[in-house]
Amino acid sequence: SKRFRNVSAVSDLDLELGAGEIFVLLGPNGAGKTTTLKMIAGLVHPSQGDIIIKGVNLHEHPITAKSHIGYVPDEPFIYNKLTGREFINFIAGIYHIEKDHFEERMASYFRRLEIGEWIDDFSEKYSHGMKQKVIMCQLFLHNPDLILIDEPLVGLDPKTSKTVREIFFELKEQGKTLFICTHTLSFAREIATRIGILSGGALKFAGDLDALSEISGSHDIEEIYLKLTEGSIPTH
């Protein structure tokens, strides 16, 4: 749970994710999605409760727990006076990763995400989508087991969005755990192994699409989402 003064942002969230899972958390603005991701990433401390990552308590052993995490925030941040390449090298240094160990991998992601010569321009010139591509690349530097992504498709063109979906499926097959927050219902339907619906800081549902359809009486994810967030069907 997380409270900001008298406001409850997240209430009694109880969730366990496994390896090889893509868990997509849906919810309207202000539902608590970003706060949830920030708590798991260790950027915001819960008011109550524990976060355990691969058996490690995040509060008691933050460095060890965070070493398993890759995080992409909803607003991609790169220092303005660094180029995209310099930023990636900077992040690699934080994780003590030698250049020889990631250069070839980064070159592959540059090709797939169509990152061109602009990677060597100052990031102050970048669009949101360009920053998002660089942030996606740095995510894979230390090969994290838990990947947290807030609104992955914002600012990306359709071709890059398709590539990102392919990369997510590859990560799933590698046994990685992906926790994704999004407003894009069609994206959730395409990639999620499980879906969670958060409203008013409370988890209204967590399960696969079949279970979601069963409790709502509908196969239309947009209709289900609206019913759950408006409270017109029982939660599960």
Side-chain angles (χ1 to χ4, degrees), residues 16-28:
E16 183 173 350
L17 306 184
E21 178 170 10
I22 301 177
F23 183 84
V24 178
L25 188 62
L26 300 168

Side-chain angles (χ1 to χ4, degrees), residues 108-114 133 136 140 153 156-171 187:
S108 172
Y109 282 116
F110 286 1
R111 287 192 299 271
R112 295 184 68 179
L113 295 172
E114 297 187 335
K133 289 181 179 184
M136 288 293 293
F140 308 118
L153 301 186
L156 298 181
D157 59 79
K159 185 177 180 182
T160 305
S161 296
K162 182 175 182 292
T163 301
V164 166
R165 287 195 291 273
E166 290 170 355
I167 290 171
F168 288 169
F169 283 125
E170 290 167 13
L171 292 167
F187 175 66

Side-chain angles (χ1 to χ4, degrees), residues 85-129:
R85 194 185 305 276
E86 288 171 341
F87 179 77
I88 287 172
N89 290 339
F90 170 67
I91 299 299
I94 290 175
Y95 285 102
H96 307 292
I97 304 170
E98 296 294 332
K99 205 168 187 179
D100 293 346
H101 294 165
F102 70 83
E103 236 178 358
E104 186 176 336
R105 189 154 22 104
M106 285 300 104
S108 172
Y109 282 116
F110 286 1
R111 287 192 299 271
R112 295 184 68 179
L113 295 172
E114 297 187 335
I115 295 175
E117 294 181 358
W118 54 264
I119 192 67
D120 293 308
D121 294 336
F122 287 134
S123 67
E124 63 188 359
K125 299 179 181 178
Y126 291 1
S127 67
H128 184 106

Side-chain angles (χ1 to χ4, degrees), residues 1-14:
S1 298
K2 180 62 182 178
R3 295 186 64 83
F4 295 100
R5 295 188 177 179
N6 295 323
V7 177
S8 179
V10 179
S11 302
D12 300 321
L13 180 62
D14 186 5

